[in-house]
């Protein structure tokens, strides 16, 4: 363990991550140090406080229907102008599509990424296929391909990436489809202490939809 690494964690109040260091083999120590180096421990307290504050503000109760004004385009000329502006933006490469696809289909009774789920259409197309084919058609209408970004989680990244490759990206072209993984954050107790999964490993979890920004 380097002194700088130890001092960083001690200063952040997370020195307990080294409590079982003496019980680890040389390989386990190196694995732990590598994991610790990749964690911005100085930011963890701020992130936890923000999460706890958001949780305290959340409310529960009856869900009421939206009663505000709903926009409509009754003027065809407005629609045509908007469509023309959208197509121009597509042609000039100013627009891309993004889907946050880090979730698993567990609640759907499906053992795999949600995007691979067959939603029961007669075509038996998956959600990913429907997205891919719509973007391909949009690109054909615009005269330029639409870049597609798919954010996965470390839990389903490899499976998602292989699925798109196995299906030739549903005609979008491999260069127009980018599959990337969101990051991980240490699991923490309410008192701010990082949770150890084992003596030599920090418990980690995907960093949520907000992970799109650093990723």
């Amino acid at each position: 363990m380097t002194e700088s690494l130890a001092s960083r964690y001690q200063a952040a109040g997370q020195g307990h991550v080294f409590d079982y260091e003496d019980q680890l083999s040389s390989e386990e120590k190196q694995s732990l140090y590598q994991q610790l180096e990749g964690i911005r421990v100085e930011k963890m307290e701020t992130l936890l406080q923000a999460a706890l504050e958001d949780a305290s503000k959340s409310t529960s109760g009856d869900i009421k229907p939206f009663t505000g004004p709903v926009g409509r385009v009754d003027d065809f000329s407005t629609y045509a102008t908007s469509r023309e502006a959208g197509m121009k933006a597509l042609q000039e490469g100013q627009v891309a599509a993004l889907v946050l696809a880090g979730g698993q289909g567990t609640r759907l009774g499906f053992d795999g990424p949600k995007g691979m789920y067959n939603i029961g259409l007669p075509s038996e197309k998956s959600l990913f296929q429907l997205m891919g084919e719509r973007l391909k058609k949009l690109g054909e209408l615009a005269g330029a391909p639409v870049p597609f970004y798919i954010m996965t989680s470390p839990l389903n990244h490899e499976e998602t990436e292989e699925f798109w490759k196995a299906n030739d990206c549903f005609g979008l072209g491999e260069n127009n489809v980018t599959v990337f993984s969101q990051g991980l954050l240490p699991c923490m107790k309410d008192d701010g202490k990082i949770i150890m999964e084992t003596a030599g490993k920090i418990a980690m979890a995907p960093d949520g939809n907000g992970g799109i920004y650093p990723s």
Side-chain angles (χ1 to χ4, degrees):
M1 172 179 57
T2 63
E3 291 184 9
S4 60
L5 184 62
S7 62
R8 281 179 57 208
Y9 277 79
Q10 292 290 353
Q14 303 290 352
H16 66 284
V17 299
F18 300 106
D19 284 354
Y20 304 100
E21 185 180 11
D22 293 341
Q23 302 176 17
L24 305 177
S25 66
S26 296
E27 290 183 356
E28 289 172 331
K29 287 180 181 179
Q30 289 305 314
S31 178
L32 175 61
Y33 301 157
Q34 185 176 9
Q35 186 182 29
L36 294 176
E37 287 283 6
I39 296 172
R40 297 182 298 169
V41 67
E42 296 82 3
K43 301 285 187 181
M44 296 312 303
E45 178 65 21
T46 301
L47 292 174
L48 175 64
Q49 291 306 318
L52 292 176
E53 184 177 345
D54 286 344
S56 67
K57 291 179 180 178
S58 64
T59 58
S60 59
D62 295 334
I63 298 176
K64 298 180 180 179
F66 180 70
T67 57
V70 178
R72 289 185 56 186
V73 178
D74 295 315
D75 183 356
F76 181 77
S77 63
T78 301
Y79 167 80
T81 301
S82 299
R83 185 179 188 281
E84 181 180 354
M87 288 298 180
K88 186 174 184 293
L90 284 166
Q91 292 161 5
E92 295 179 353
Q94 298 176 354
V95 179
L98 165 70
V99 63
L100 308 186
Q104 291 289 97
T106 308
R107 286 180 292 179
L108 301 171
F110 175 65
D111 184 20
K114 287 181 182 176
M116 292 169 51
Y117 183 63
N118 177 345
I119 62 174
L121 295 175
S123 64
E124 298 188 351
K125 293 179 180 180
S126 66
L127 291 170
F128 277 150
Q129 183 172 354
L130 293 171
M131 293 175 191
E133 291 178 350
R134 290 191 69 180
L135 288 175
K136 179 186 177 184
K137 184 62 177 179
L138 179 59
E140 291 172 352
L141 292 171
V146 182
F148 191 25
Y149 293 88
I150 303 167
M151 188 176 81
T152 64
S153 74
L155 303 175
N156 68 10
H157 176 78
E158 186 174 345
E159 190 173 4
T160 301
E161 193 170 47
E162 289 301 319
F163 180 78
W164 279 88
K165 288 181 179 179
N167 288 281
D168 296 321
C169 295
F170 300 108
L172 286 175
E174 190 170 335
N175 292 334
N176 293 314
V177 177
T178 302
V179 182
F180 65 100
S181 179
Q182 67 188 114
L184 295 172
L185 286 174
C187 299
M188 303 179 73
K189 300 178 182 178
D190 286 349
D191 63 4
K193 295 299 183 182
I194 289 176
I195 299 173
M196 302 295 293
E197 182 175 326
T198 66
K201 185 178 180 181
I202 304 295
M204 306 288 285
D207 56 5
N209 289 346
I212 180 66
Y213 299 105
S215 295

